Amino acid sequence: MKFKAIPLVAVAASMILLTGCTQAAAPEEPAAAAPVVSENDFALPDSKPAGFKDGLKIALVRQSGVGDYFEQWGGGFTKQVKAAGGTVELFDARGDNGKQVTQFTDAINSKPDAIVVDHGLADSLNPKIDEAIEAGIPVVVYDVAIANEKALYISQDDESLAGKILDQIKTDNADGGNIAYVNVSGIAPLDTRDGVYKTFLTDNPTFKEVAHFGKYSESAAADTATEGAAALSSAPDTTIVFAAYDELAKGALIALRQNNMLDKVNVYGVDVSTADIGLMTEAGSPWRATAATDPANVGAIVARAAVAAGAGVDMPSKMAIPAALITQQLLRDKNVTNMDELRVALPELSTPGILGASWIPEITIG
């Protein structure tokens, strides 16, 4: 399906929900448990599990927002569940954290074969995850920091995402530069990306942070633009913008336009959508590169995990999905205008081998 590219001047209308650091223990407290290691080589059994059946019911408890990222994620998820003969019962809180908790209770009471949590706030969701597991319902979580290792936590490889884009920043700006950093704290994937960024600054002293902004809200792009306009006016020597999430990058682009800085700054982001591709490829765009996974492919992976968990497969505690670097030059050279065309240009975005099995039909992404 093709989407119309969104011009930069219209980005302020784009709204997406953001969601989802272990402190050192005090000397008198027991040492913190070792972090769970991603088992990216985990494979599903070759033969169909005894618990696999047609009509597996998967409850999807999510916090989605406006934009094609969430649409594509949900599309890949639902398509994969249906291909495996299952059904999806959707609970979407749309930015209301209290509603998500209530819906999670409804999902548990519906007695599904598995529950998937897609985005949300860890503090409110962790007790419900515990409750579901205590009720004997397998739980698969995407991009919410969780404490219960009996649930499977799936995320993008956020260290790889940040590392790839920061490496590109270093390549494109060999002499260093002044960075306006766009990120928010308290959200699991963005906190991980923040750690990689801080290490980058330490290891590369020719790069200096001169501004830091970013707004956590349902209308992240518009609210970040408001903060960014003020921050950038106080940092006119900015030469680089690093935004840890694509909605934050959109907000930064609006702020750069308001400060007449579009031709002076290179912008780098994380994540991709059809709207992002339009912004990166339009004439005069300073958005040089992004690092991303394919949201529809990610949704399909999470769906396969849920189907397997619902069929009784003993799943690992953590898995991470590898990322790809997407440059403005690649998009322009290959005339990429939407996600379907990007999948053709970068086939590594599709990963049917991750949690693939003969008893879960492979789907076409897109």
Side-chain angles (χ1 to χ4, degrees):
M1 180 177 180
K2 293 192 175 185
F3 297 83
K4 183 178 179 182
I6 299 176
L8 180 56
V9 293
V11 175
S14 173
M15 298 188 299
I16 256 185
L17 172 70
L18 284 172
T19 52
C21 318
T22 301
Q23 297 179 344
E28 67 274 15
E29 295 178 350
V36 177
V37 177
S38 292
E39 296 183 45
N40 295 336
D41 295 331
F42 176 83
L44 297 180
D46 293 331
S47 57
K48 185 183 297 185
F52 182 82
K53 62 183 179 182
D54 283 337
L56 279 173
K57 185 169 74 172
I58 310 297
L60 174 58
V61 180
R62 73 186 316 213
Q63 284 268 30
S64 75
V66 177
D68 57 354
Y69 179 93
F70 281 101
E71 291 172 5
Q72 291 187 68
W73 193 105
F77 178 87
T78 301
K79 188 174 184 179
Q80 182 67 86
V81 171
K82 289 183 176 179
T87 61
V88 176
E89 186 174 12
L90 177 62
F91 301 86
D92 193 345
R94 301 286 301 182
D96 186 330
N97 297 314
K99 183 177 179 180
Q100 190 176 25
V101 173
T102 299
Q103 288 183 334
F104 206 143
T105 299
D106 294 339
I108 293 171
N109 291 338
S110 73
K111 296 181 169 38
D113 294 290
I115 292 176
V116 171
V117 182
D118 171 31
H119 290 83
L121 297 181
D123 287 348
S124 56
L125 293 180
N126 268 303
K128 303 307 296 184
I129 292 169
D130 294 342
E131 183 180 334
I133 291 172
E134 289 169 4
I137 303 171
V139 178
V140 177
V141 179
Y142 179 70
D143 263 359
V144 180
I146 59 173
N148 196 322
E149 294 180 14
K150 292 181 180 179
L152 167 55
Y153 172 58
I154 298 179
S155 70
Q156 301 176 97
D157 187 340
D158 291 294
E159 290 187 359
S160 173
L161 283 164
K164 284 179 182 294
I165 201 66
L166 288 165
D167 284 347
Q168 188 65 30
I169 288 175
K170 189 174 179 180
T171 298
D172 291 349
N173 305 272
D175 296 329
N178 295 327
I179 299 177
Y181 180 45
V182 194
N183 200 3
V184 296
S185 61
I187 300 165
L190 301 188
D191 286 345
T192 299
R193 297 170 196 178
D194 178 67
V196 178
Y197 167 73
K198 287 176 178 174
T199 299
F200 173 84
L201 289 182
T202 299
D203 294 344
N204 298 276
T206 57
F207 291 90
K208 176 185 175 183
E209 182 180 302
V210 295
H212 185 178
F213 58 93
K215 183 69 173 179
Y216 169 61
S217 67
E218 187 170 6
S219 38
D223 292 340
T224 293
T226 301
E227 280 198 357
L232 290 170
S233 67
S234 299
D237 56 344
T238 299
T239 57
I240 298 163
V241 166
F242 170 46
Y245 179 68
D246 62 344
E247 288 301 301
L248 301 180
K250 291 174 183 177
L253 287 171
I254 299 168
L256 288 169
R257 179 181 289 279
Q258 291 174 346
N259 282 277
N260 297 314
M261 296 172 67
L262 284 174
D263 60 343
K264 304 173 183 177
V265 178
N266 291 333
V267 176
Y268 301 85
V270 176
D271 298 327
V272 70
S273 70
T274 292
D276 298 342
I277 292 169
L279 292 171
M280 290 178 71
T281 56
E282 71 178 0
S285 173
W287 195 342
R288 304 300 183 213
T290 190
T293 59
D294 176 357
N297 181 63
V298 172
I301 292 171
V302 175
R304 293 196 291 272
V307 168
V313 176
D314 187 14
M315 303 297 288
S317 294
K318 185 177 181 181
M319 297 185 72
I321 301 168
L325 178 70
I326 303 163
T327 65
Q328 182 187 68
Q329 192 64 50
L330 177 143
L331 296 175
R332 288 176 172 171
D333 288 348
K334 295 185 177 290
N335 296 313
V336 173
T337 63
N338 58 46
M339 286 298 300
D340 287 338
E341 293 170 355
L342 180 61
R343 294 177 186 111
V344 175
L346 279 178
E348 60 264 37
L349 287 173
S350 178
T351 57
I354 297 179
L355 297 179
S358 60
W359 42 276
I360 302 179
E362 185 176 332
I363 62 171
T364 300
I365 299 296

